[in-house]
Amino acid sequence: MSSSPHSQDIESFCLKLPKIELHAHINSSVSEKTFRELLRKKDVGDGQLASVESSVFGPKETTFKAFDDCFDIFPLIHKVIDSPEAIYKVTSDVIAEFEADQVKYLELRTTPREELLTSMTRRSYVATVLSAIKDSKKKNLDIDVRLLLSIDRKSTVKIAWETVLMASELAADSDRIVIGIDFSGNPKINDAKDFIPVLAHAKSSGLKISVHLAEIVNPLESHQLVEIVPDRIGHGTYLHPEVGGLQESVEFVKKHKIPIECCISSNLRSLSVAKLKLHHFGYWYKQSHPVVLATDGKGVFQCSLSGEYILAAKAFQLSQEELWQLSEKSIDYIFADDKTKKKLKSQWAEIRNSKFQKTI
Ligand code: IMP
Ligand code: ZN
């Protein structure tokens, strides 16, 4: 990273910028600090402990050698975050960490998980995450947190239906924390087509859906998923024809103005994108298509949302005004209601007047 005055200006600007985070998986967002604290409490031998630690938080250059490697890391993280106490701590810490990075509105997502060893059920898992979110509200943190329940494509269609049913029940609660469904997991496993009826049902029953798609070159599957008209697309790395996608998919996404969640560090670290300047953020941004920067897993991919803005600014020469607009426009793509959008817009206006008048 160059240390020219301009680049320092951009860095401090991005750190101060109010931000919206829309793509953050809870377990892969665990910070190194929280992870180490949880590991220390676990009854595992030193060797095992060291290997889990270095696999998850080893030097950047050594963690991932191939795209699939991150999917070997997630089960290791799950082994450490395997009880209601641990998931409560991780959720609370992740919220506080995003708030410290000037994130004002956060959509977390997580896969309801059962752990036989600790008698955690999928329902008690979600109840714990919700109680951590509700308790964070009581701490008067300056952040509005919502939740999407994730469907892992490596699990079963039956579990996917149960997840949608659970999300629908919880979405009817007056606190409106649960607002949608995420479809994620290793894109090389299972046929996403089998999950389309579940996702379509979720959407038609009023839940918002964000779908990971085109993380690898798979134009037919990507097009089938695009045709559900997800409310947002996770990654969409290989959607456009220059990288093996279909022009038809691009036209469809543009016609329906489906926002794309761009996770630059995640894609670089997991080797799904070879070089910063080749990131598909540039392809969509240049066409004024809705895009939102996101971290995906700030722990596993060792990044922050401010850092994502800094990377985008450097790679695509974004001015401070363009960075401001990028963050402010993200409000339009949140899954919460219009009242929340209006509140955030006035919060952005107020912050701009009070803290950015002299800089932008
Ligand atoms: P959790 O759902 O909170 O346990 O977060 C980790 C899970 O998110 C992983 O097991 C994957 O199913 C999913 N996930 C995280 N990052 C990615 C990604 O980049 N692509 C697809 N799925 C992902
Ligand atoms: Zn993701």
Side-chain angles (χ1 to χ4, degrees), residues 103-246:
V103 172
K104 306 292 178 196
Y105 175 92
L106 166 66
E107 280 176 22
L108 291 171
R109 53 184 78 189
T110 199
T111 321
R113 178 159 45 98
E114 69 177 2
E115 292 286 350
L116 298 178
L117 270 179
T118 58
S119 310
M120 187 164 72
T121 64
R122 284 192 281 278
R123 286 223 169 231
S124 68
Y125 176 96
V126 174
T128 306
V129 169
L130 284 172
S131 76
I133 294 175
K134 286 176 194 164
D135 288 351
S136 78
K137 286 188 197 295
K138 292 183 203 145
K139 290 179 205 150
N140 274 330
L141 296 177
D142 185 13
I143 186 166
D144 183 346
V145 187
R146 309 299 173 107
L147 184 67
L148 313 185
L149 300 189
S150 301
I151 293 171
D152 184 346
R153 59 186 288 163
K154 88 165 184 280
S155 82
T156 63
V157 172
K158 183 171 175 280
I159 289 179
W161 279 112
E162 282 171 24
T163 306
V164 169
L165 188 69
M166 200 191 323
S168 296
E169 279 172 29
L170 294 167
D173 275 7
S174 56
D175 52 29
R176 307 237 167 254
I177 294 174
V178 175
I179 43 178
I181 288 287
D182 156 57
F183 181 66
S184 50
N186 189 337
K188 293 187 181 165
I189 294 182
N190 283 339
D191 191 342
K193 194 162 70 167
D194 298 339
F195 293 88
I196 287 179
V198 192
L199 295 169
H201 173 83
K203 190 172 152 76
S204 67
S205 66
L207 290 166
K208 299 284 187 183
I209 58 169
S210 171
V211 176
H212 282 64
L213 59 87
E215 271 192 270
I216 53 173
V217 182
N218 190 345
L220 289 181
E221 182 190 275
S222 303
H223 195 72
Q224 286 166 338
L225 288 171
V226 154
E227 282 189 318
I228 326 168
V229 198
D231 297 288
R232 289 196 310 256
I233 287 173
H235 301 300
T237 319
Y238 294 96
L239 254 182
H240 55 289
E242 282 124 84
V243 287
L246 301 174

Side-chain angles (χ1 to χ4, degrees), residues 266-312:
S266 157
N267 296 155
L268 291 173
R269 289 219 60 215
S270 66
L271 309 175
S272 86
V273 170
K275 271 192 190 153
L276 176 57
K277 280 193 192 285
L278 297 180
H279 196 277
H280 55 288
F281 171 87
Y283 176 88
W284 295 98
Y285 182 80
K286 278 176 202 144
Q287 301 181 63
S288 303
H289 184 81
V291 280
V292 53
L293 291 172
T295 51
D296 203 7
K298 68 176 181 56
V300 172
F301 301 116
Q302 296 183 35
C303 59
S304 67
L305 191 53
S306 294
E308 298 306 292
Y309 276 81
I310 296 167
L311 284 178

